[in-house]
Amino acid sequence: MNPTRCLYPGSFDPVTVGHMDVISRAAAMFDTVVVGVLHNPEKRGCFPVEKRVEMLKKACAAFSNVQVISYGGLLARLAKEQGFRVVVRGVRGVGDLESEMMMARINRQLCPGLETVFLPASPEKSDISATMVRQLASFGADLSQFVPLEALPDVLAAFEDTEESGR
Ligand code: PNS
C-alpha cells in the first residue's frame, strides 16, 4: 500500500490543545501529517507566521511523523503543488459544519480529487478556539488547559504587556 499523507491546514494563531487533539489523532491515522499554517500575506494575525510555525514545531516535536510548514496562498494551490490528496479539518460542533463543508467543496472544485476528512473534536476540547485563547490571554487568564505546554511561554510573552488590570 502507498504511504498515506494528509495536510492539516489552519491559522494556528496560536496553536491550542484542540489543534493538538486533531494532530495526534491524524498522526495515528496517516503515515505523515503536514500541518500547514495558511496565511494571507495581506492580513496580519495576532502572532507572526514564523512564531506560529515555531510554536507548532515545539508542540509537535514528540510526533516523528508530523511536519510543520507555512504557505501564503490558496489551500487548493498548495495541495496541487505538493500533491496532497487528503485535507484534515477538526469540527467543534454543528456550527462549524456549514462553512467547513463549503470550504471542502470549493477546494475539491479547485483541486479535483482533493478529499476533506472531518474529525469531530473530543468533547472536552470542543469549546477551545484560538480566538478564545487570545481573549483569555489578553485578560491574563491561566492558559495551561488551553495551550500546549511547549507553546505556553511564547503565548504568555506575547501578551505580557497587554494584560488588562480589570479596573
Ligand atoms: O484555523 P482556521 O482559521 O479555521 O483555518 C482556515 C484556513 C486557513 C484553513 C482557511 O482560511 C484557508 O484555507 N485559507 C487559505 C485560503 C483559501 O484557500 N481560501 C479558500 C477556502 S475555500
Side-chain angles (χ1 to χ4, degrees), residues 50-127:
E50 301 71 33
K51 182 53 85 178
R52 293 184 226 170
V53 168
E54 188 188 319
M55 288 191 281
L56 272 162
K57 281 187 174 168
K58 287 180 195 166
C60 296
F63 298 96
S64 58
N65 61 338
V66 175
Q67 300 158 14
V68 184
I69 62 168
S70 64
Y71 189 79
L74 279 180
L75 190 158
R77 195 169 294 149
L78 169 64
K80 268 189 183 168
E81 282 173 11
Q82 300 201 10
F84 288 103
R85 305 296 309 273
V86 180
V87 167
V88 167
R89 289 285 288 168
V91 176
R92 285 168 303 171
V94 285
D96 280 350
L97 265 181
E98 198 170 335
S99 59
E100 288 296 333
M101 287 180 65
M102 185 195 73
M103 217 159 67
R105 286 192 296 265
I106 295 205
N107 284 331
R108 194 144 70 102
Q109 235 168 290
L110 295 173
C111 179
L114 183 65
E115 295 290 359
T116 300
V117 171
F118 296 125
L119 293 184
S122 298
E124 71 283 5
K125 311 271 165 55
S126 60
D127 293 325

